[in-house]
Amino acid sequence: LRLSHSAVLRPSKELRELLRSCLELSERLGDPRAASYSLYWMGFLEHSLGRWAGSRDYSERCMARAEERRDARLLSMAYANLGQTLFHTGDYPEAMRLLEDSVRLSRPTSESAAGRFISYPLGYQAMIHADSGRFDLADKRLEEAGTLLRDAGLLYVEAGVAATRGVVELFRGDWSAWRKSALELEGKSKGIGASFMQAPSQTLGGYARCFDGQRSEGLARMRTGVEMLERSEISMMLSFLYACLAEALALGGELDEAQSFAQRALEHATTREDRMGEPAAYRVLLLVTARRSPGERDRIDAALDAALAAAERRGSVRDALITTLRAAELLAERDPAWARARLLD
């Protein structure tokens, strides 16, 4: 239990080795319950570190043990963890199925326990709906999560749901609302000592400032947040943070640095399966190509196709629409008929 508390608040590679030892010990002792819960916490820790392949492996093994033991509570937790992992790797249909199953299994529990086990999966459902363009469904999930939170009384759950709510507001382009959520998340993450939550709040809060007339301060906060995460052992959401910084730089005309961060986002997506920032990173490369080589339509069209394909793979209607809009804005003066056709499509 002490190690699981650390997995929630201060994930680290050292803790991973300790939990792995607990798993090996429980299996040697023939304690199936301890082994099952050790598998869950290994999956949870790998998720917190942003190691998606490891998280998926441990979660799937935990699910198999939970089904054998008919442990509905553990199964719901494993469903939630794997569903959240698949959100980051980009399998939205399977992620949503698992998150919904997790919520379904957890509903018979008490209200306080429901707040702990259901709120965060609801937040992840909200992010999927928002990225798919269904903000009406996203708002419903967040409303229910907020209602359940009032009975949970757990600061780390409140921080987690604040993070998902902030991402939905960011996806919506509601900069003032996201800045408020970022401040809330930053305060809660400091209160529980969770640096892996502080870094996204810094970076994405800065991103909102860039679009809200405070570019200089926004870029400074984004750099601080990215550097904070790079110095840690945690890479959760790093491709997305790289891509957000790259896009803010590209829209300000800082093309060399924008390209560098976009390439880092894509490298992270490839090596770590952290695909949350992949569509935006390809969009940045489109912006860079169009501004550097405005007359080379073949290169621009290839970059646009790559960006739209990345959005389609992830199921991000939002990214596809933003990419189309950015391309139309860039090419409107040179080819207004093409830009108009793209927007109408």
Side-chain angles (χ1 to χ4, degrees):
L1 285 175
R2 291 174 183 171
L3 291 179
S4 66
H5 184 74
S6 296
V8 172
L9 303 180
R10 283 172 287 280
S12 67
K13 293 178 182 177
E14 180 183 10
L15 179 59
R16 183 175 60 195
E17 294 309 311
L18 288 172
L19 280 170
R20 185 176 287 134
S21 297
C22 289
L23 173 60
E24 292 171 356
L25 178 62
S26 62
E27 289 181 332
R28 283 203 306 270
L29 293 174
D31 187 338
R33 185 179 187 280
S36 298
Y37 278 84
S38 294
L39 284 170
Y40 168 75
W41 285 112
M42 282 296 299
F44 186 98
L45 179 63
E46 294 283 60
H47 172 89
S48 298
L49 290 169
R51 298 172 61 90
W52 309 121
S55 178
R56 183 167 54 238
D57 176 62
Y58 284 116
S59 294
E60 288 174 347
R61 289 166 62 188
C62 177
M63 285 164 54
R65 297 281 187 94
E67 287 170 353
E68 288 174 4
R69 300 181 61 247
R70 298 184 180 180
D71 188 334
R73 179 191 175 201
L74 180 59
L75 189 59
S76 72
M77 293 161 61
Y79 281 162
N81 198 57
L82 183 55
Q84 291 159 23
T85 291
L86 294 179
F87 164 84
H88 290 278
T89 61
D91 188 348
Y92 279 179
E94 184 65 7
M96 185 63 79
R97 184 187 72 79
L98 288 164
L99 292 167
E100 289 176 342
D101 283 348
S102 172
V103 170
R104 174 180 53 78
L105 286 173
S106 296
R107 286 199 185 280
T109 61
S110 66
E111 289 187 2
S112 59
R116 182 167 74 251
F117 293 120
I118 296 178
S119 297
Y120 205 32
L122 286 173
Y124 264 81
Q125 288 183 37
M127 290 193 292
I128 294 173
H129 285 310
D131 207 17
S132 304
R134 292 300 308 272
F135 288 99
D136 55 334
L137 296 178
D139 290 340
K140 287 181 180 178
R141 299 300 182 274
L142 288 174
E143 182 179 0
E144 182 178 1
T147 300
L148 291 169
L149 273 178
R150 287 195 288 270
D151 299 312
L154 294 170
L155 191 58
Y156 73 86
V157 180
E158 294 175 11
V161 173
T164 62
R165 183 173 65 248
V167 171
V168 170
E169 291 160 350
L170 192 76
F171 284 172
R172 200 197 311 264
D174 190 341
W175 310 124
S176 60
W178 166 236
R179 286 176 59 184
K180 181 179 178 182
S181 290
L183 287 172
E184 177 188 353
L185 174 59
E186 190 171 352
K188 291 182 184 298
S189 59
K190 286 180 179 178
I192 58 178
S195 61
F196 71 99
M197 290 184 177
Q198 292 177 42
S201 69
Q202 283 268 346
T203 307
L204 299 180
Y207 184 74
R209 280 175 166 78
C210 287
F211 287 92
D212 205 21
Q214 300 179 48
R215 175 176 166 74
S216 178
E217 181 185 351
L219 286 175
R221 289 178 66 87
M222 293 183 79
R223 294 181 197 280
T224 299
V226 165
E227 290 169 2
M228 185 187 304
L229 210 57
E230 286 179 327
R231 288 194 303 269
S232 74
E233 300 174 302
I234 301 163
S235 60
M236 180 191 281
M237 290 182 68
L238 190 52
S239 75
F240 185 57
L241 304 187
Y242 279 148
C244 286
L245 178 53
E247 188 162 28
L249 290 165
L251 292 172
E254 300 177 54
L255 302 185
D256 290 344
E257 195 175 9
Q259 182 179 13
S260 174
F261 276 108
Q263 289 170 340
R264 286 158 77 174
L266 293 177
E267 179 183 0
H268 204 72
T270 301
T271 59
R272 295 293 188 92
E273 295 186 70
D274 177 18
R275 303 196 178 278
M276 188 176 179
E278 193 172 37
Y282 276 111
R283 179 165 62 248
V284 170
L285 296 183
L286 163 66
L287 295 174
V288 170
T289 300
R291 288 185 171 173
R292 282 181 176 162
S293 310
E296 298 184 33
R297 281 296 296 278
D298 287 346
R299 290 186 61 199
I300 294 170
D301 285 345
L304 175 59
D305 289 343
L308 291 175
E312 183 177 0
R313 283 194 301 272
R314 188 164 179 83
S316 177
V317 174
R318 179 192 60 85
D319 267 312
L321 290 172
I322 293 172
T323 294
T324 302
L325 177 62
R326 296 284 186 230
E329 289 172 342
L330 286 168
L331 300 174
E333 293 183 7
R334 293 180 176 272
D335 194 343
W338 180 94
R340 188 162 47 250
R342 276 285 185 176
L343 284 173
L344 289 174
D345 286 345

